[in-house]
Amino acid sequence: MIALLGQTGTSIFDQWFGNLWIALILKTLVVMGAFLTMPLAVGYMEHKVLAHMQARLGPMEAGNFHGWAQLVADGVKFVQKEDIVPAAADPWVFSLAPAVALIPYIALFVVIPFSDSLWAVNLDVGIFFVLAMSSVSVIGVLMAGWASANKFSLIGALRAAAQLIAYELPLVLTAAAVVMQAGTLSLVGITQAQHDMWNIVRPWQWAGFLIFMISSLAELTRPPFDMPVADSEIIFGAYTEYSGLKFAFFLLSEYGGIVALSAIASVLFLGGYNGPPVLGAIVPQAFWMLSKIGALSFVVIWLRATYPRLREDQLQRFSWLVLIPLSLVQILAVAVIKIMQA
């Protein structure tokens, strides 16, 4: 098994292929394949989970047996829809916005480790990279809202920007606490530091895990933090004027964000590709990583079916008065514990 996986610290692509360009092409194909597969699987899971939790009949019809062809039906629907650009819109910015929202989440997959040798790039500042990329997608939302020449779209885009500002800070602070715990900024290094004990087992990291997941939901504008796309207030926010494949790209970026942030949470708190003490040495590491991503994605979908939407003032108050002070206290606690252990 060790011979197949390769030495820790070196990507399996670099071990198998001495040529830089061949390894680079293969990494690109694997990353794109993972991005085009995993978000679609999460989207399919959302259809089915919500169908069961809320007794929705629609997703159970396509293909007859348990609605197995729902994902195919959605793809055909998006392809067939007319691609409309409003007359008053800025056509270039309007068309580029979906790509700007989508590409950062593709970039996140580059540094996510699925085993001790299955990753594309092991950046020394990996956690900085993923946090920076996760906040870039909101630029695409702002572009969509401004370029649509629609006041409701602009309101939704501004809500998304305000939400990012409010919840990016607790997200970064909780990640900083994990970095202090591990002593490295590399995602591979953070995972390896949890080989004997996952961070979630440590009581002082429980609050960090909860804050990180809540902040991730807010960054993704997922319920109950979906005020930027509140259909009862602003139609569908920044995406109101979008149709066809452009809207599908925004939808894909949302599911890609769920997968990416679930993967980051798995690395930071759930041991990443490390399995339980006994089974971890038997079952392949990639299985544990994929299982954790799937479990956290299920929780994200579960919350959509459970909690109603918050008000905008409740959203801001919850971040600035609750999450940020808690994340600062957690950093202080980790610092004190590290000093005591030294």
Side-chain angles (χ1 to χ4, degrees):
M1 177 65 71
I2 295 176
L4 290 174
L5 291 176
Q7 299 175 351
T8 301
T10 305
S11 171
I12 195 171
F13 304 106
D14 297 322
Q15 295 174 37
W16 286 6
F17 301 96
N19 188 291
L20 174 64
W21 293 106
I22 295 178
L24 182 61
I25 293 172
L26 187 59
K27 288 177 182 179
T28 303
L29 292 176
V30 171
V31 167
M32 291 302 300
F35 181 81
L36 294 176
T37 302
M38 298 172 67
L40 292 179
V42 171
Y44 185 78
M45 179 170 65
E46 181 165 57
H47 277 96
K48 298 307 173 184
V49 170
L50 293 179
H52 284 288
M53 287 186 171
Q54 299 181 333
R56 297 187 180 189
L57 300 179
M60 295 298 183
E61 295 297 325
N64 293 328
F65 178 71
H66 208 264
W68 66 269
Q70 181 61 46
L71 206 61
V72 178
D74 286 339
V76 173
K77 176 186 70 174
F78 285 127
V79 171
Q80 288 181 335
K81 281 191 174 182
E82 184 180 0
D83 184 13
I84 299 174
V85 178
D90 186 322
W92 283 102
V93 179
F94 185 86
S95 300
L96 285 175
V100 175
L102 182 65
I103 290 174
Y105 290 122
I106 299 177
L108 283 179
F109 278 74
V110 173
V111 296
I112 294 175
F114 287 89
S115 78
D116 57 7
S117 60
L118 186 55
W119 34 265
V121 179
N122 180 17
L123 293 178
D124 293 335
V125 290
I127 191 63
F128 283 163
F129 177 80
V130 297
L131 293 176
M133 286 294 103
S134 66
S135 61
V136 169
S137 61
V138 74
I139 297 177
V141 179
L142 282 170
M143 291 170 60
W146 178 82
S148 295
N150 182 312
K151 293 181 180 179
F152 293 107
S153 297
L154 183 58
I155 291 172
L158 293 177
R159 282 188 179 186
Q163 198 159 308
L164 173 74
I165 294 171
Y167 282 85
E168 183 73 12
L169 188 55
L171 194 78
V172 171
L173 290 174
T174 52
V178 173
V179 169
M180 292 169 60
Q181 182 76 50
T184 177
L185 294 169
S186 166
L187 294 184
V188 176
I190 292 173
T191 306
Q192 291 173 348
Q194 301 175 73
H195 183 268
D196 297 323
M197 180 186 296
W198 300 356
N199 282 332
I200 195 65
V201 178
R202 299 179 170 95
W204 56 89
Q205 292 287 1
W206 293 348
F209 175 69
L210 186 61
I211 294 170
F212 189 91
M213 290 303 298
I214 293 173
S215 301
S216 297
L217 285 174
E219 283 214 355
L220 294 170
T221 64
R222 292 282 303 183
F225 305 105
D226 59 336
M227 285 70 78
V229 291
D231 55 320
S232 60
E233 303 168 24
I234 51 176
I235 309 176
F236 205 61
Y239 315 127
T240 299
E241 301 291 350
Y242 282 87
S243 62
L245 288 178
K246 289 188 178 73
F247 180 78
F249 287 149
F250 276 119
L251 204 59
L252 181 61
S253 68
E254 178 181 344
Y255 291 127
I258 294 175
V259 174
L261 288 172
S262 296
I264 297 168
S266 300
V267 169
L268 294 180
F269 299 98
L270 303 181
Y273 53 73
N274 293 312
V278 178
L279 296 176
I282 302 174
V283 182
Q285 294 174 331
F287 170 82
W288 297 114
M289 186 63 179
L290 292 173
S291 298
K292 293 169 186 177
I293 293 173
L296 292 179
S297 299
F298 173 79
V299 171
V300 171
I301 296 169
W302 188 357
L303 292 174
R304 174 179 177 177
T306 305
Y307 291 102
R309 182 184 303 124
L310 298 177
R311 297 197 314 264
E312 189 67 25
D313 61 311
Q314 292 173 330
L315 169 90
Q316 296 292 335
R317 187 182 302 113
F318 185 59
S319 176
W320 293 104
L321 299 182
V322 179
L323 295 186
I324 293 177
L326 278 177
S327 57
L328 290 171
V329 170
Q330 189 212 359
I331 283 185
L332 180 61
V334 172
V336 170
I337 292 170
K338 292 293 288 184
I339 291 173
M340 293 175 61
Q341 291 177 346

